[in-house]
Amino acid sequence: MAKPLVQMALDSLDFDATVALATKVAPHVDILEIGTPCIKHNGIELLKVLRAKFPNNKILVDLKTADAGYYEAEPFFKAGADIVTVLGISDIGTIKGVVDVANKYGKEAQVDLISVPNKAEVVKAVAAVGAHIIGVHTGLDQQAAGQTPFSDLALVAGLNTGLKISVAGGVKAATVKQVVDAGATIVVAGAAIYGAADPAAAAAEITALARGESASSGGLFGWLKGLFS
Ligand SMILES: O=C([C@H](O)CO)[C@H](O)[C@H](O)COP(=O)(O)O
């Protein structure tokens, strides 16, 4: 089975701080996510800068599209996004539009299940129109109300659609193995990395844990640990 991918969510509003954080973290993760507040605030220019600076990372643009799927997503695929998100609560025509334009560019559409009431039904419907990734997502406001993504992940994994499953919502070093064991193929971490004293080390630790490697063999973090042990 393929090793899970690790995605870092860039949720700052500041353009330069986002580029600086991405520079620290990019060597330690597979996917850089431009979070929804960040892309709304900074626009497609930020994607162009990150695309040019980080050719070895995939880039997800968290558009959370709700309408005009094809039209809204196309400029971002054209500018180098590898994955674009669309809301699972939106019309199936909107979701199909993002899938179609992703296919046109050889890229991927991720359907975000945030606030979807009938998750099993939506997962089956979006699988039928060719969605590439299902996003199990407990948003920042839901996390503040005490929610976690674990029960939704169990439900989605149990549907056995064969689609990739991305999991976001407060994932941290202590929970990353639980998320992978429960069926995540993409693990997303935002605050656990950008809120750490050393974001590069936190990213390296989370990636090592997601891949089932001991933290001591995990990139810079492992190297630093080795120095001081
Ligand atoms: O998608 C996110 C949120 O809705 C704002 O765009 C976060 O990036 C995602 O939840 C991951 O961040 P953490 O929950 O802090 O790990």
Side-chain angles (χ1 to χ4, degrees):
M1 211 171 75
K3 297 239 179 203
L5 299 181
V6 173
Q7 175 174 317
M8 196 269 166
L10 298 159
D11 277 328
S12 168
L13 296 181
D14 187 283
F15 193 108
D16 293 338
T18 298
V19 176
L21 179 59
T23 303
K24 286 185 191 159
V25 166
H28 307 290
V29 299
D30 303 292
I31 304 171
L32 293 170
E33 168 192 334
I34 307 177
T36 313
C38 185
I39 196 67
K40 285 189 177 178
H41 196 72
N42 294 296
I44 201 163
E45 283 314 308
L46 177 62
L47 168 62
K48 290 178 184 169
V49 168
L50 295 181
R51 180 69 291 158
K53 279 181 84 77
F54 306 109
N56 299 323
N57 294 89
K58 288 193 175 208
I59 299 182
L60 177 144
V61 180
D62 197 8
L63 287 181
K64 293 192 177 80
T65 292
D67 189 21
Y70 195 108
Y71 188 57
E72 183 165 290
E74 183 163 36
F76 291 89
F77 285 125
K78 229 182 223 171
D82 297 286
I83 307 167
V84 162
T85 64
V86 55
L87 288 173
I89 52 168
S90 54
D91 188 83
I92 195 70
T94 304
I95 294 169
K96 188 172 178 318
V98 180
V99 170
D100 287 347
V101 72
N103 287 334
K104 175 177 169 187
Y105 288 87
K107 303 295 186 182
E108 294 181 299
Q110 175 168 318
V111 179
D112 189 329
L113 294 183
I114 192 168
S115 300
V116 168
N118 50 339
K119 293 187 173 57
E121 197 184 309
V122 167
V123 169
K124 287 177 199 161
V126 304
V129 298
H132 307 88
I133 306 169
I134 298 295
V136 173
H137 186 191
T138 302
L140 298 173
D141 295 335
Q142 294 168 323
Q143 289 179 52
Q147 295 179 37
T148 72
F150 295 107
S151 61
D152 291 342
L153 172 56
L155 182 144
V156 172
L159 295 172
N160 292 313
T161 59
L163 299 185
K164 295 178 191 173
I165 302 175
S166 165
V167 179
V171 179
K172 52 189 182 224
T175 52
V176 66
K177 186 175 180 322
Q178 185 185 352
V179 170
V180 170
D181 289 348
T185 48
I186 302 171
V187 180
V188 184
I193 295 176
Y194 62 71
D198 183 343
E205 182 186 23
I206 286 173
T207 296
L209 290 165
R211 293 182 183 157
E213 296 159 1
S214 68
S216 60
S217 65
L220 178 65
F221 182 76
W223 179 73
L224 283 171
K225 268 189 91 178
L227 269 187
F228 295 107
S229 61

